[in-house]
Amino acid sequence: MAAFLLWLLLLVFCWPFALLALVLYPIVWLICLPLRLIGITVGAAFAFLGALLMLPARVLRGRPA
């Protein structure tokens, strides 16, 4: 809602920039989409490696002495 109000404010004060932002937003979103997917993949890979490295400690901690 706040983003919409800010866009309306921009439309009132500087309508060419508001229309340019309205046209360019989908293009920027499409350019950023592969980068977001790469970020999700790298985050998942690091979480998997962290879980894999912590597995021996979890197995040893779970055993009774």
Side-chain angles (χ1 to χ4, degrees):
M1 184 69 179
F4 180 68
L5 291 175
L6 285 173
W7 186 82
L8 284 178
L9 190 66
L10 183 65
L11 180 64
V12 169
F13 288 114
C14 191
W15 62 269
F17 284 128
L19 293 179
L20 185 67
L22 192 63
V23 170
L24 289 181
Y25 181 76
I27 297 169
V28 171
W29 185 82
L30 283 174
I31 291 171
C32 290
L33 187 62
L35 299 175
R36 291 179 66 190
L37 292 174
I38 290 171
I40 291 169
T41 305
V42 169
F46 279 134
F48 175 72
L49 286 174
L52 199 61
L53 291 174
M54 291 297 184
L55 185 63
R58 288 183 183 215
V59 169
L60 290 176
R61 192 177 348 145
R63 285 190 186 167

Short mmCIF file of all heavy atoms in Angstrom, two decimals:
data_model
loop_
_atom_site.label_atom_id
_atom_site.label_comp_id
_atom_site.label_asym_id
_atom_site.label_seq_id
_atom_site.Cartn_x
_atom_site.Cartn_y
_atom_site.Cartn_z
N MET A 1 0.82 -1.19 0.00
CA MET A 1 0.00 0.00 0.00
C MET A 1 0.87 1.25 0.00
O MET A 1 0.57 2.22 -0.70
CB MET A 1 -0.93 -0.05 1.23
CG MET A 1 -1.88 1.09 1.28
SD MET A 1 -3.08 0.92 -0.03
CE MET A 1 -4.08 2.31 0.24
N ALA A 2 1.95 1.21 0.78
CA ALA A 2 2.83 2.37 0.84
C ALA A 2 3.54 2.59 -0.50
O ALA A 2 3.72 3.74 -0.92
CB ALA A 2 3.85 2.19 1.95
N ALA A 3 3.90 1.50 -1.15
CA ALA A 3 4.56 1.63 -2.45
C ALA A 3 3.62 2.26 -3.47
O ALA A 3 4.04 3.09 -4.29
CB ALA A 3 5.04 0.27 -2.93
N PHE A 4 2.36 1.89 -3.41
CA PHE A 4 1.38 2.46 -4.32
C PHE A 4 1.19 3.95 -4.06
O PHE A 4 1.11 4.76 -4.99
CB PHE A 4 0.05 1.72 -4.19
CG PHE A 4 -1.02 2.25 -5.11
CD1 PHE A 4 -0.92 2.09 -6.48
CD2 PHE A 4 -2.12 2.90 -4.59
CE1 PHE A 4 -1.89 2.58 -7.32
CE2 PHE A 4 -3.10 3.40 -5.42
CZ PHE A 4 -3.00 3.23 -6.79
N LEU A 5 1.14 4.32 -2.80
CA LEU A 5 1.00 5.74 -2.46
C LEU A 5 2.22 6.54 -2.89
O LEU A 5 2.09 7.68 -3.37
CB LEU A 5 0.73 5.91 -0.97
CG LEU A 5 -0.63 5.41 -0.48
CD1 LEU A 5 -0.72 5.52 1.03
CD2 LEU A 5 -1.76 6.15 -1.15
N LEU A 6 3.40 5.96 -2.73
CA LEU A 6 4.61 6.64 -3.19
C LEU A 6 4.61 6.78 -4.71
O LEU A 6 5.03 7.81 -5.24
CB LEU A 6 5.85 5.88 -2.73
CG LEU A 6 6.19 6.02 -1.26
CD1 LEU A 6 7.34 5.08 -0.91
CD2 LEU A 6 6.54 7.44 -0.92
N TRP A 7 4.12 5.76 -5.41
CA TRP A 7 4.04 5.86 -6.86
C TRP A 7 3.05 6.95 -7.28
O TRP A 7 3.30 7.70 -8.22
CB TRP A 7 3.65 4.52 -7.47
CG TRP A 7 3.69 4.56 -8.95
CD1 TRP A 7 4.79 4.41 -9.74
CD2 TRP A 7 2.59 4.80 -9.83
NE1 TRP A 7 4.42 4.54 -11.06
CE2 TRP A 7 3.09 4.78 -11.15
CE3 TRP A 7 1.24 5.02 -9.64
CZ2 TRP A 7 2.28 4.97 -12.25
CZ3 TRP A 7 0.43 5.21 -10.74
CH2 TRP A 7 0.95 5.19 -12.03
N LEU A 8 1.92 7.04 -6.58
CA LEU A 8 0.95 8.10 -6.88
C LEU A 8 1.54 9.48 -6.62
O LEU A 8 1.31 10.42 -7.39
CB LEU A 8 -0.32 7.91 -6.06
CG LEU A 8 -1.27 6.82 -6.53
CD1 LEU A 8 -2.45 6.72 -5.59
CD2 LEU A 8 -1.73 7.06 -7.94
N LEU A 9 2.32 9.61 -5.56
CA LEU A 9 2.99 10.87 -5.26
C LEU A 9 3.98 11.22 -6.37
O LEU A 9 4.05 12.37 -6.83
CB LEU A 9 3.70 10.77 -3.91
CG LEU A 9 4.26 12.04 -3.31
CD1 LEU A 9 3.13 12.98 -2.95
CD2 LEU A 9 5.09 11.72 -2.10
N LEU A 10 4.71 10.24 -6.83
CA LEU A 10 5.63 10.45 -7.94
C LEU A 10 4.87 10.81 -9.21
O LEU A 10 5.32 11.68 -9.98
CB LEU A 10 6.48 9.20 -8.17
CG LEU A 10 7.56 9.27 -9.25
CD1 LEU A 10 8.62 10.28 -8.87
CD2 LEU A 10 8.18 7.90 -9.46
N LEU A 11 3.73 10.20 -9.42
CA LEU A 11 2.92 10.50 -10.60
C LEU A 11 2.44 11.94 -10.58
O LEU A 11 2.43 12.62 -11.61
CB LEU A 11 1.73 9.54 -10.67
CG LEU A 11 0.77 9.72 -11.85
CD1 LEU A 11 1.50 9.43 -13.15
CD2 LEU A 11 -0.42 8.82 -11.70
N VAL A 12 2.09 12.44 -9.42
CA VAL A 12 1.59 13.81 -9.32
C VAL A 12 2.71 14.81 -9.56
O VAL A 12 2.54 15.79 -10.29
CB VAL A 12 0.93 14.04 -7.94
CG1 VAL A 12 0.65 15.53 -7.70
CG2 VAL A 12 -0.35 13.24 -7.85
N PHE A 13 3.87 14.58 -8.96
CA PHE A 13 4.94 15.57 -9.02
C PHE A 13 5.83 15.44 -10.25
O PHE A 13 6.36 16.43 -10.75
CB PHE A 13 5.81 15.51 -7.75
CG PHE A 13 5.10 16.07 -6.56
CD1 PHE A 13 4.76 15.24 -5.51
CD2 PHE A 13 4.74 17.40 -6.51
CE1 PHE A 13 4.10 15.75 -4.41
CE2 PHE A 13 4.08 17.92 -5.42
CZ PHE A 13 3.75 17.09 -4.36
N CYS A 14 6.01 14.22 -10.73
CA CYS A 14 6.92 14.04 -11.87
C CYS A 14 6.41 12.86 -12.70
O CYS A 14 6.95 11.75 -12.63
CB CYS A 14 8.33 13.79 -11.36
SG CYS A 14 9.55 13.85 -12.65
N TRP A 15 5.38 13.09 -13.49
CA TRP A 15 4.72 12.00 -14.18
C TRP A 15 5.58 11.28 -15.21
O TRP A 15 5.42 10.08 -15.40
CB TRP A 15 3.40 12.47 -14.79
CG TRP A 15 3.55 13.55 -15.83
CD1 TRP A 15 3.52 14.88 -15.62
CD2 TRP A 15 3.74 13.35 -17.22
NE1 TRP A 15 3.69 15.54 -16.80
CE2 TRP A 15 3.83 14.64 -17.80
CE3 TRP A 15 3.86 12.23 -18.04
CZ2 TRP A 15 4.03 14.81 -19.17
CZ3 TRP A 15 4.05 12.41 -19.39
CH2 TRP A 15 4.13 13.70 -19.94
N PRO A 16 6.57 11.93 -15.89
CA PRO A 16 7.38 11.12 -16.82
C PRO A 16 8.19 10.03 -16.11
O PRO A 16 8.30 8.91 -16.60
CB PRO A 16 8.30 12.13 -17.50
CG PRO A 16 7.59 13.43 -17.37
CD PRO A 16 6.88 13.35 -16.06
N PHE A 17 8.74 10.37 -14.93
CA PHE A 17 9.50 9.36 -14.19
C PHE A 17 8.59 8.25 -13.67
O PHE A 17 8.98 7.08 -13.62
CB PHE A 17 10.25 10.00 -13.02
CG PHE A 17 11.48 10.75 -13.45
CD1 PHE A 17 11.67 12.06 -13.04
CD2 PHE A 17 12.43 10.17 -14.26
CE1 PHE A 17 12.79 12.76 -13.43
CE2 PHE A 17 13.55 10.86 -14.66
CZ PHE A 17 13.74 12.17 -14.24
N ALA A 18 7.37 8.61 -13.29
CA ALA A 18 6.43 7.60 -12.81
C ALA A 18 6.06 6.63 -13.93
O ALA A 18 6.02 5.42 -13.72
CB ALA A 18 5.19 8.28 -12.25
N LEU A 19 5.81 7.15 -15.11
CA LEU A 19 5.48 6.27 -16.23
C LEU A 19 6.69 5.43 -16.66
O LEU A 19 6.55 4.26 -17.01
CB LEU A 19 4.96 7.10 -17.40
CG LEU A 19 3.61 7.78 -17.17
CD1 LEU A 19 3.22 8.59 -18.38
CD2 LEU A 19 2.55 6.77 -16.82
N LEU A 20 7.89 6.02 -16.59
CA LEU A 20 9.10 5.26 -16.91
C LEU A 20 9.30 4.14 -15.89
O LEU A 20 9.65 3.01 -16.27
CB LEU A 20 10.31 6.20 -16.91
CG LEU A 20 11.64 5.60 -17.33
CD1 LEU A 20 11.60 5.22 -18.81
CD2 LEU A 20 12.76 6.59 -17.07
N ALA A 21 9.06 4.44 -14.62
CA ALA A 21 9.18 3.40 -13.59
C ALA A 21 8.15 2.30 -13.80
O ALA A 21 8.44 1.11 -13.61
CB ALA A 21 9.02 4.02 -12.21
N LEU A 22 6.95 2.68 -14.21
CA LEU A 22 5.90 1.70 -14.45
C LEU A 22 6.25 0.77 -15.61
O LEU A 22 5.97 -0.43 -15.58
CB LEU A 22 4.59 2.43 -14.74
CG LEU A 22 3.31 1.62 -14.75
CD1 LEU A 22 3.06 1.04 -13.37
CD2 LEU A 22 2.15 2.47 -15.19
N VAL A 23 6.93 1.30 -16.62
CA VAL A 23 7.31 0.49 -17.78
C VAL A 23 8.55 -0.35 -17.48
O VAL A 23 8.63 -1.52 -17.89
CB VAL A 23 7.55 1.41 -19.00
CG1 VAL A 23 8.17 0.65 -20.15
CG2 VAL A 23 6.24 2.05 -19.44
N LEU A 24 9.51 0.21 -16.76
CA LEU A 24 10.77 -0.49 -16.52
C LEU A 24 10.71 -1.52 -15.40
O LEU A 24 11.57 -2.40 -15.33
CB LEU A 24 11.88 0.52 -16.22
CG LEU A 24 12.34 1.36 -17.39
CD1 LEU A 24 13.45 2.30 -16.95
CD2 LEU A 24 12.80 0.51 -18.55
N TYR A 25 9.73 -1.43 -14.52
CA TYR A 25 9.66 -2.36 -13.38
C TYR A 25 9.61 -3.83 -13.81
O TYR A 25 10.36 -4.65 -13.27
CB TYR A 25 8.47 -2.01 -12.48
CG TYR A 25 8.36 -2.91 -11.29
CD1 TYR A 25 9.21 -2.75 -10.21
CD2 TYR A 25 7.43 -3.94 -11.25
CE1 TYR A 25 9.13 -3.59 -9.11
CE2 TYR A 25 7.34 -4.78 -10.17
CZ TYR A 25 8.19 -4.59 -9.10
OH TYR A 25 8.11 -5.44 -8.02
N PRO A 26 8.76 -4.21 -14.77
CA PRO A 26 8.75 -5.63 -15.18
C PRO A 26 10.07 -6.08 -15.81
O PRO A 26 10.50 -7.22 -15.63
CB PRO A 26 7.61 -5.72 -16.20
CG PRO A 26 6.78 -4.52 -15.97
CD PRO A 26 7.67 -3.47 -15.43
N ILE A 27 10.72 -5.18 -16.52
CA ILE A 27 12.00 -5.53 -17.15
C ILE A 27 13.07 -5.77 -16.08
O ILE A 27 13.82 -6.75 -16.13
CB ILE A 27 12.42 -4.43 -18.15
CG1 ILE A 27 11.40 -4.34 -19.27
CG2 ILE A 27 13.81 -4.69 -18.70
CD1 ILE A 27 11.55 -3.13 -20.16
N VAL A 28 13.12 -4.89 -15.09
CA VAL A 28 14.09 -5.05 -14.00
C VAL A 28 13.78 -6.32 -13.21
O VAL A 28 14.69 -7.05 -12.81
CB VAL A 28 14.08 -3.80 -13.10
CG1 VAL A 28 14.90 -4.01 -11.85
CG2 VAL A 28 14.60 -2.59 -13.87
N TRP A 29 12.50 -6.61 -13.01
CA TRP A 29 12.12 -7.83 -12.29
C TRP A 29 12.58 -9.07 -13.04
O TRP A 29 13.08 -10.02 -12.43
CB TRP A 29 10.60 -7.85 -12.11
CG TRP A 29 10.13 -8.99 -11.28
CD1 TRP A 29 10.11 -9.08 -9.92
CD2 TRP A 29 9.62 -10.24 -11.77
NE1 TRP A 29 9.61 -10.29 -9.54
CE2 TRP A 29 9.30 -11.03 -10.65
CE3 TRP A 29 9.39 -10.75 -13.04
CZ2 TRP A 29 8.77 -12.30 -10.76
CZ3 TRP A 29 8.87 -12.02 -13.16
CH2 TRP A 29 8.56 -12.79 -12.03
N LEU A 30 12.43 -9.07 -14.36
CA LEU A 30 12.87 -10.21 -15.16
C LEU A 30 14.38 -10.37 -15.15
O LEU A 30 14.90 -11.49 -15.17
CB LEU A 30 12.38 -10.07 -16.60
CG LEU A 30 10.90 -10.40 -16.83
CD1 LEU A 30 10.52 -10.07 -18.26
CD2 LEU A 30 10.62 -11.84 -16.51
N ILE A 31 15.11 -9.26 -15.10
CA ILE A 31 16.57 -9.33 -15.04
C ILE A 31 17.02 -9.85 -13.67
O ILE A 31 17.97 -10.64 -13.58
CB ILE A 31 17.18 -7.96 -15.35
CG1 ILE A 31 16.95 -7.62 -16.82
CG2 ILE A 31 18.65 -7.91 -15.01
CD1 ILE A 31 17.32 -6.20 -17.19
N CYS A 32 16.32 -9.47 -12.61
CA CYS A 32 16.71 -9.88 -11.26
C CYS A 32 16.29 -11.31 -10.91
O CYS A 32 16.84 -11.91 -9.99
CB CYS A 32 16.12 -8.92 -10.24
SG CYS A 32 16.88 -7.30 -10.28
N LEU A 33 15.32 -11.85 -11.63
CA LEU A 33 14.81 -13.18 -11.31
C LEU A 33 15.88 -14.28 -11.34
O LEU A 33 15.97 -15.07 -10.39
CB LEU A 33 13.64 -13.53 -12.24
CG LEU A 33 12.90 -14.81 -11.93
CD1 LEU A 33 12.27 -14.73 -10.55
CD2 LEU A 33 11.84 -15.08 -12.97
N PRO A 34 16.74 -14.36 -12.36
CA PRO A 34 17.78 -15.39 -12.32
C PRO A 34 18.76 -15.20 -11.16
O PRO A 34 19.22 -16.19 -10.58
CB PRO A 34 18.51 -15.23 -13.66
CG PRO A 34 17.58 -14.50 -14.54
CD PRO A 34 16.74 -13.66 -13.65
N LEU A 35 19.03 -13.96 -10.80
CA LEU A 35 19.93 -13.72 -9.67
C LEU A 35 19.30 -14.18 -8.36
O LEU A 35 19.99 -14.72 -7.49
CB LEU A 35 20.29 -12.24 -9.61
CG LEU A 35 21.02 -11.69 -10.84
CD1 LEU A 35 21.21 -10.19 -10.72
CD2 LEU A 35 22.34 -12.39 -11.04
N ARG A 36 17.99 -13.99 -8.21
CA ARG A 36 17.31 -14.48 -7.01
C ARG A 36 17.34 -16.00 -6.96
O ARG A 36 17.54 -16.60 -5.89
CB ARG A 36 15.87 -13.98 -7.00
CG ARG A 36 15.77 -12.48 -6.78
CD ARG A 36 14.34 -12.03 -6.79
NE ARG A 36 13.65 -12.59 -5.64
CZ ARG A 36 12.35 -12.53 -5.48
NH1 ARG A 36 11.60 -11.97 -6.40
NH2 ARG A 36 11.79 -13.04 -4.41
N LEU A 37 17.14 -16.64 -8.11
CA LEU A 37 17.17 -18.11 -8.15
C LEU A 37 18.56 -18.63 -7.82
O LEU A 37 18.70 -19.64 -7.12
CB LEU A 37 16.72 -18.61 -9.52
CG LEU A 37 15.25 -18.37 -9.85
CD1 LEU A 37 14.96 -18.79 -11.28
CD2 LEU A 37 14.37 -19.11 -8.89
N ILE A 38 19.59 -17.96 -8.30
CA ILE A 38 20.96 -18.35 -7.96
C ILE A 38 21.20 -18.18 -6.46
O ILE A 38 21.81 -19.03 -5.82
CB ILE A 38 21.97 -17.54 -8.79
CG1 ILE A 38 21.92 -17.98 -10.26
CG2 ILE A 38 23.39 -17.69 -8.25
CD1 ILE A 38 22.72 -17.10 -11.19
N GLY A 39 20.68 -17.09 -5.90
CA GLY A 39 20.83 -16.86 -4.46
C GLY A 39 20.15 -17.93 -3.63
O GLY A 39 20.68 -18.39 -2.62
N ILE A 40 18.96 -18.34 -4.05
CA ILE A 40 18.25 -19.40 -3.34
C ILE A 40 19.03 -20.71 -3.43
O ILE A 40 19.17 -21.44 -2.44
CB ILE A 40 16.83 -19.56 -3.91
CG1 ILE A 40 15.98 -18.35 -3.55
CG2 ILE A 40 16.17 -20.84 -3.42
CD1 ILE A 40 14.67 -18.28 -4.29
N THR A 41 19.58 -21.00 -4.61
CA THR A 41 20.33 -22.24 -4.81
C THR A 41 21.61 -22.25 -3.98
O THR A 41 21.94 -23.25 -3.33
CB THR A 41 20.66 -22.41 -6.30
OG1 THR A 41 19.46 -22.36 -7.04
CG2 THR A 41 21.36 -23.72 -6.55
N VAL A 42 22.33 -21.15 -3.97
CA VAL A 42 23.57 -21.07 -3.19
C VAL A 42 23.26 -21.16 -1.70
O VAL A 42 23.97 -21.85 -0.95
CB VAL A 42 24.34 -19.78 -3.54
CG1 VAL A 42 25.48 -19.54 -2.58
CG2 VAL A 42 24.86 -19.85 -4.96
N GLY A 43 22.20 -20.51 -1.26
CA GLY A 43 21.82 -20.61 0.15
C GLY A 43 21.47 -22.03 0.55
O GLY A 43 21.83 -22.50 1.63
N ALA A 44 20.75 -22.73 -0.33
CA ALA A 44 20.40 -24.12 -0.04
C ALA A 44 21.64 -25.01 -0.02
O ALA A 44 21.75 -25.92 0.81
CB ALA A 44 19.41 -24.63 -1.07
N ALA A 45 22.59 -24.75 -0.92
CA ALA A 45 23.82 -25.55 -0.95
C ALA A 45 24.63 -25.34 0.34
O ALA A 45 25.16 -26.29 0.91
CB ALA A 45 24.66 -25.19 -2.17
N PHE A 46 24.71 -24.09 0.80
CA PHE A 46 25.44 -23.83 2.05
C PHE A 46 24.72 -24.43 3.25
O PHE A 46 25.37 -24.94 4.18
CB PHE A 46 25.65 -22.34 2.26
CG PHE A 46 26.82 -21.79 1.48
CD1 PHE A 46 26.69 -20.61 0.76
CD2 PHE A 46 28.04 -22.42 1.47
CE1 PHE A 46 27.75 -20.09 0.04
CE2 PHE A 46 29.11 -21.93 0.76
CZ PHE A 46 28.97 -20.76 0.04
N ALA A 47 23.40 -24.41 3.26
CA ALA A 47 22.66 -25.04 4.36
C ALA A 47 22.89 -26.55 4.36
O ALA A 47 23.05 -27.17 5.42
CB ALA A 47 21.17 -24.72 4.23
N PHE A 48 22.92 -27.14 3.17
CA PHE A 48 23.17 -28.58 3.07
C PHE A 48 24.58 -28.92 3.56
O PHE A 48 24.77 -29.87 4.32
CB PHE A 48 22.99 -29.05 1.63
CG PHE A 48 23.33 -30.48 1.42
CD1 PHE A 48 22.52 -31.49 1.92
CD2 PHE A 48 24.48 -30.84 0.73
CE1 PHE A 48 22.84 -32.82 1.73
CE2 PHE A 48 24.81 -32.17 0.53
CZ PHE A 48 23.98 -33.16 1.04
N LEU A 49 25.57 -28.13 3.14
CA LEU A 49 26.95 -28.38 3.60
C LEU A 49 27.08 -28.20 5.10
O LEU A 49 27.77 -28.96 5.78
CB LEU A 49 27.93 -27.46 2.87
CG LEU A 49 28.21 -27.82 1.42
CD1 LEU A 49 29.08 -26.75 0.77
CD2 LEU A 49 28.87 -29.17 1.31
N GLY A 50 26.43 -27.17 5.64
CA GLY A 50 26.46 -26.97 7.09
C GLY A 50 25.84 -28.13 7.84
O GLY A 50 26.36 -28.59 8.86
N ALA A 51 24.70 -28.63 7.34
CA ALA A 51 24.06 -29.77 7.98
C ALA A 51 24.92 -31.02 7.86
O ALA A 51 25.00 -31.83 8.79
CB ALA A 51 22.69 -30.00 7.36
N LEU A 52 25.58 -31.18 6.72
CA LEU A 52 26.43 -32.34 6.51
C LEU A 52 27.65 -32.30 7.43
O LEU A 52 28.05 -33.33 7.99
CB LEU A 52 26.87 -32.39 5.05
CG LEU A 52 27.38 -33.70 4.49
CD1 LEU A 52 26.28 -34.74 4.59
CD2 LEU A 52 27.82 -33.52 3.07
N LEU A 53 28.23 -31.12 7.62
CA LEU A 53 29.39 -31.01 8.50
C LEU A 53 29.02 -31.14 9.98
O LEU A 53 29.84 -31.58 10.78
CB LEU A 53 30.11 -29.69 8.25
CG LEU A 53 30.82 -29.57 6.90
CD1 LEU A 53 31.37 -28.17 6.71
CD2 LEU A 53 31.92 -30.61 6.78
N MET A 54 27.81 -30.76 10.34
CA MET A 54 27.38 -30.85 11.73
C MET A 54 26.79 -32.22 12.08
O MET A 54 26.52 -32.49 13.24
CB MET A 54 26.34 -29.77 12.03
CG MET A 54 26.90 -28.39 12.03
SD MET A 54 28.12 -28.26 13.33
CE MET A 54 28.54 -26.56 13.21
N LEU A 55 26.61 -33.07 11.09
CA LEU A 55 26.00 -34.37 11.34
C LEU A 55 26.79 -35.22 12.34
O LEU A 55 26.18 -35.79 13.25
CB LEU A 55 25.81 -35.12 10.01
CG LEU A 55 25.09 -36.45 10.10
CD1 LEU A 55 23.66 -36.24 10.60
CD2 LEU A 55 25.09 -37.15 8.76
N PRO A 56 28.13 -35.33 12.23
CA PRO A 56 28.84 -36.14 13.23
C PRO A 56 28.67 -35.61 14.65
O PRO A 56 28.53 -36.40 15.59
CB PRO A 56 30.31 -36.06 12.78
CG PRO A 56 30.25 -35.73 11.34
CD PRO A 56 29.03 -34.90 11.17
N ALA A 57 28.66 -34.31 14.83
CA ALA A 57 28.48 -33.75 16.17
C ALA A 57 27.09 -34.05 16.70
O ALA A 57 26.92 -34.35 17.89
CB ALA A 57 28.72 -32.24 16.13
N ARG A 58 26.08 -34.03 15.86
CA ARG A 58 24.72 -34.34 16.30
C ARG A 58 24.58 -35.81 16.64
O ARG A 58 23.88 -36.18 17.59
CB ARG A 58 23.72 -33.97 15.21
CG ARG A 58 23.54 -32.50 15.06
CD ARG A 58 22.49 -32.21 14.03
NE ARG A 58 22.38 -30.79 13.85
CZ ARG A 58 21.22 -30.19 13.60
NH1 ARG A 58 20.13 -30.89 13.50
NH2 ARG A 58 21.19 -28.89 13.44
N VAL A 59 25.25 -36.67 15.88
CA VAL A 59 25.17 -38.10 16.16
C VAL A 59 25.87 -38.42 17.47
O VAL A 59 25.35 -39.16 18.31
CB VAL A 59 25.79 -38.91 15.00
CG1 VAL A 59 25.96 -40.36 15.37
CG2 VAL A 59 24.94 -38.77 13.75
N LEU A 60 27.04 -37.81 17.71
CA LEU A 60 27.76 -38.06 18.96
C LEU A 60 27.05 -37.47 20.16
O LEU A 60 27.10 -38.03 21.26
CB LEU A 60 29.19 -37.50 18.86
CG LEU A 60 30.13 -38.24 17.90
CD1 LEU A 60 31.47 -37.53 17.84
CD2 LEU A 60 30.32 -39.68 18.37
N ARG A 61 26.41 -36.34 19.99
CA ARG A 61 25.71 -35.69 21.09
C ARG A 61 24.46 -36.47 21.47
O ARG A 61 24.04 -36.49 22.63
CB ARG A 61 25.32 -34.27 20.73
CG ARG A 61 24.85 -33.47 21.89
CD ARG A 61 24.52 -32.04 21.56
NE ARG A 61 24.98 -31.60 20.26
CZ ARG A 61 24.34 -30.74 19.49
NH1 ARG A 61 23.21 -30.23 19.89
NH2 ARG A 61 24.81 -30.38 18.33
N GLY A 62 23.88 -37.15 20.52
CA GLY A 62 22.64 -37.89 20.79
C GLY A 62 22.85 -39.22 21.51
O GLY A 62 21.93 -39.75 22.10
N ARG A 63 24.08 -39.75 21.51
CA ARG A 63 24.35 -41.03 22.17
C ARG A 63 24.50 -40.86 23.67
O ARG A 63 25.16 -39.95 24.14
CB ARG A 63 25.65 -41.63 21.62
CG ARG A 63 25.53 -42.21 20.27
CD ARG A 63 26.78 -42.97 19.94
NE ARG A 63 26.72 -43.42 18.56
CZ ARG A 63 27.77 -43.89 17.91
NH1 ARG A 63 28.94 -43.94 18.50
NH2 ARG A 63 27.65 -44.29 16.68
N PRO A 64 23.95 -41.78 24.44
CA PRO A 64 24.20 -41.73 25.89
C PRO A 64 25.61 -42.22 26.22
O PRO A 64 26.14 -43.09 25.54
CB PRO A 64 23.15 -42.69 26.47
CG PRO A 64 22.65 -43.50 25.32
CD PRO A 64 22.96 -42.76 24.07
N ALA A 65 26.20 -41.63 27.23
CA ALA A 65 27.57 -41.97 27.58
C ALA A 65 27.73 -43.27 28.33
O ALA A 65 26.92 -43.85 28.90
CB ALA A 65 28.19 -40.86 28.42
#
